């Protein structure tokens, strides 16, 4: 018997456990400290009433013989896929229901999609980035190369014609940097992928935070249906981090190596997955009702207001940052050239504010720091007041 030796190559992730351990130790040593956490990437507002009402009604259906449901379609119920078809139509994107696959979240699909690809492919991943892209490919033993995101490109790396990539990850709005690609920039990636017959894996988990003219789907870019799979989620859009529901779009015309990726993914899902609970899918569909849209938009506006409060503080302090505008993340350059973990300790000890060290997201994250807008509005404001006072005193005095 041989185990998958690639697991030995995955770096242990100490990021959030180290953050938690440091905060715990500090709290034990300073029990009076009023610590504000702007580190987590989880939502805090509850599910909206439109979603809860739909789920309650679905529970009642499940308790009655006539409306009880057992196994559902592995790729999702028609009512939710139709709701998504309309949602995409609103973005100017035409999809067929069979191109949409409902799942228990973007993280699972981002990992599972790799079942479709040979291990011989070279994978291009931005640095810094959501760690799941890297770790899932290491588990399979694929070669990973990095696209450098940094201050000079605004943390939005562009394709380099000399880079030999087969699978390309793009996350926009980005976690952790909050940076968002515009249409022209995404077009350059689509053109690069088409020219190479490469495949883009586009993570749109934060698309609902975009306002204005920026693309919210890769399929708003001409040619993307021939070279991209899109992953999205109800987690950050509608507070489903604990409820679990997401979706993946695999265009019907997308082919590689003479195989239709849509058919392969259907086969993969019907073989290895038994679908998302009916109750959860009913809740997700309610997100697209007029009432649901109004309510989730209010929640997103609440988070975006927090992001604005943090962004304003950074501007006032003259600190370079990305994000905060169309994203729940603010990615800032640590003042005075401080390293990420040094700035973490400094903020924790001097302002009792917790964030996430950028170095935990890749080597280019060193000397950067992530703050999130998912907290309470009053506490976020209080945290920014403390940061302002501290930095003005120590760096701008
Ligand atoms: N993609 C990105 C960029 C994320 O930041 C996250 C969660 O933080 C996910 C995907 C996971 O989404 P889900 O909760 O749907 O698994």
């Amino acid at each position: 018997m041989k185990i998958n030796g690639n697991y030995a190559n995955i770096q242990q992730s100490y990021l959030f456990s180290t953050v938690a351990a440091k905060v715990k130790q500090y709290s034990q040593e300073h029990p009076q400290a009023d610590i504000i956490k702007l580190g987590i990437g989880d939502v805090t507002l509850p599910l909206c009433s439109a979603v809860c009402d739909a789920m309650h009604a679905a529970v009642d259906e499940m308790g009655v013989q006539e409306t009880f449901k057992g196994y559902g379609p592995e790729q999702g119920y028609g009512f939710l896929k139709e709701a998504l078809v309309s949602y995409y139509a609103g973005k100017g994107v035409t999809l067929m229901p069979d191109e949409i696959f409902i799942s228990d979240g973007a993280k699972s699909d981002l990992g599972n999609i790799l079942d479709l690809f040979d291990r011989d492919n070279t994978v291009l991943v931005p640095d810094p980035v959501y760690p799941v892209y890297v770790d899932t490919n290491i588990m399979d033993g694929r070669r990973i190369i990095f696209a450098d995101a940094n201050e000079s490109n605004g943390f939005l790396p562009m394709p380099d014609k000399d880079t030999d990539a087969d699978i390309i990850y793009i996350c926009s709005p980005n976690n952790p940097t909050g940076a968002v690609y515009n249409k022209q920039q995404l077009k350059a990636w689509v053109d690069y992928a088409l020219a190479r017959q490469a495949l883009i894996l586009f993570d749109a988990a934060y698309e609902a935070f975009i306002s204005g003219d920026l693309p919210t789907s890769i399929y708003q870019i001409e040619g993307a249906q021939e070279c991209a799979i899109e992953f999205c989620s109800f987690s950050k859009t509608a507070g489903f981090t604990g409820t679990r529901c997401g979706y993946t779009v695999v265009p019907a015309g997308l082919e590689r190596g003479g195989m239709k990726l849509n058919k392969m993914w259907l086969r993969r899902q019907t073989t290895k997955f038994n679908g998302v609970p009916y109750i959860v899918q009913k809740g997700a569909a309610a997100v697209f009702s007029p009432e649901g849209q109004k309510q989730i938009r209010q929640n997103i506006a609440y988070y975006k207001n927090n992001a604005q409060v943090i962004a304003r503080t950074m501007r006032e302090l003259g600190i370079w940052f990305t994000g905060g505008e169309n994203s729940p993340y603010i990615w800032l350059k640590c003042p005075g050239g401080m390293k990420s973990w040094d700035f973490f300790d400094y903020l924790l000890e001097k302002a009792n504010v917790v964030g996430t060290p950028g170095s935990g997201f890749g080597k280019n994250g060193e000397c950067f720091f992530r703050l999130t807008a998912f907290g309470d509005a009053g506490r976020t404001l209080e945290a920014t007041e403390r940061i302002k006072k501290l930095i003005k005193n120590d760096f701008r005095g």
Side-chain angles (χ1 to χ4, degrees):
M1 182 275 168
K2 287 188 186 146
I3 50 105
N4 180 351
N6 294 315
Y7 275 67
N9 301 327
I10 309 166
Q11 269 187 4
Q12 205 59 41
S13 174
Y14 296 112
L15 181 60
F16 290 102
S17 55
T18 309
V19 167
K22 278 180 177 269
V23 173
K24 189 172 168 203
Q25 190 188 343
Y26 185 84
S27 312
Q28 278 165 354
E29 288 165 6
H30 305 84
Q32 314 303 341
D34 174 24
I35 294 173
I36 305 178
K37 292 181 182 166
L38 298 184
I40 47 156
D42 198 356
V43 294
T44 54
L45 293 173
L47 293 173
C48 66
S49 64
V51 167
C52 290
D53 290 348
M55 291 205 289
H56 280 139
V59 168
D60 289 341
E61 280 184 63
M62 292 297 267
V64 176
Q65 182 72 66
E66 288 72 30
T67 48
F68 167 76
K69 297 198 168 39
Y71 290 124
E74 293 91 341
Q75 60 276 31
Y77 280 101
F79 62 80
L80 180 52
K81 299 207 281 181
E82 290 292 351
L84 280 160
V85 166
S86 301
Y87 182 60
Y88 271 85
K91 299 168 184 259
V93 173
T94 306
L95 294 180
M96 292 179 297
D98 286 353
E99 297 180 303
I100 300 169
F101 296 81
I102 309 300
S103 74
D104 64 347
K107 190 185 197 175
S108 319
D109 283 1
L110 282 159
N112 294 335
I113 198 79
L114 298 176
D115 272 9
L116 272 48
F117 314 132
D118 194 281
R119 291 173 186 207
D120 241 1
N121 288 298
T122 297
V123 181
L124 181 65
V125 182
D127 172 353
V129 88
Y130 181 52
V132 169
Y133 312 153
V134 173
D135 290 349
T136 51
N137 276 291
I138 293 177
M139 287 172 181
D140 280 356
R142 269 185 214 90
R143 186 170 94 93
I144 300 174
I145 52 177
F146 291 96
D148 283 325
N150 48 44
E151 196 179 345
S152 66
N153 58 25
F155 284 90
L156 292 169
M158 294 304 294
D160 168 358
K161 64 174 173 36
D162 298 327
T163 301
D164 249 356
D166 303 307
I167 297 170
I168 301 149
Y169 283 85
I170 300 178
C171 178
S172 178
N174 189 276
N175 176 16
T177 71
V180 188
Y181 282 108
N182 65 29
K183 282 198 175 124
Q184 212 184 349
Q185 291 167 321
L186 279 187
K187 177 84 172 83
W189 278 111
V190 166
D191 289 346
Y192 169 84
L194 287 173
R196 302 188 45 77
Q197 283 289 291
L199 184 74
I200 293 174
L201 302 181
F202 188 78
D203 186 343
Y206 298 93
E207 61 86 25
F209 285 79
I210 294 178
S211 34
D213 199 29
L214 293 162
T216 55
S217 164
I218 187 83
Y219 303 120
Q220 290 167 325
I221 310 302
E222 201 191 328
Q225 302 227 4
E226 280 83 59
C227 68
I229 293 176
E230 180 158 300
F231 302 85
C232 202
S233 169
F234 292 92
S235 283
K236 310 298 160 83
T237 302
F240 272 55
T241 50
T243 308
R244 308 305 306 147
C245 196
Y247 51 93
T248 290
V249 180
V250 188
L254 184 55
E255 275 188 33
R256 289 292 180 271
M259 304 269 280
K260 285 205 181 295
L261 270 56
N262 180 289
K263 292 278 167 286
M264 288 175 74
W265 184 239
L266 178 66
R267 192 72 172 92
R268 192 268 169 212
Q269 290 298 79
T270 50
T271 304
K272 294 196 185 180
F273 182 58
N274 248 340
V276 177
Y278 175 71
I279 297 160
V280 172
Q281 293 192 58
K282 275 287 179 182
V287 166
F288 300 106
S289 67
E291 200 51 30
Q293 277 296 299
K294 200 171 117 207
Q295 292 170 356
I296 64 136
R297 292 288 153 197
Q298 273 166 2
N299 288 356
I300 291 168
Y302 180 92
Y303 295 138
K304 283 182 73 163
N305 189 56
N306 286 344
Q308 282 293 311
V309 167
I310 302 171
R312 256 201 310 276
T313 304
M314 296 306 136
R315 263 183 226 113
E316 200 177 314
L317 291 170
I319 290 177
W320 191 94
F321 70 99
T322 55
E325 193 73 48
N326 295 290
S327 147
Y329 299 122
I330 286 87
W331 177 253
L332 60 108
K333 190 174 176 182
C334 303
M338 274 172 120
K339 298 229 162 174
S340 301
W341 277 109
D342 292 340
F343 188 64
F344 174 91
D345 291 334
Y346 169 78
L347 265 198
L348 174 61
E349 285 161 23
K350 300 279 183 62
N352 295 164
V353 172
V354 180
T356 311
S359 54
F361 299 98
K363 75 169 174 29
N364 290 334
E366 184 58 281
C367 295
F368 285 85
F369 201 74
R370 189 189 78 172
L371 294 174
T372 79
F374 286 124
D376 172 79
R379 299 287 282 164
T380 302
L381 185 62
E382 161 77 18
T384 56
E385 292 301 327
R386 291 187 200 170
I387 292 171
K388 223 183 286 183
K389 206 165 134 201
L390 178 68
I391 306 270
K392 273 189 177 159
N393 189 50
D394 288 355
F395 293 93
R396 309 279 189 263

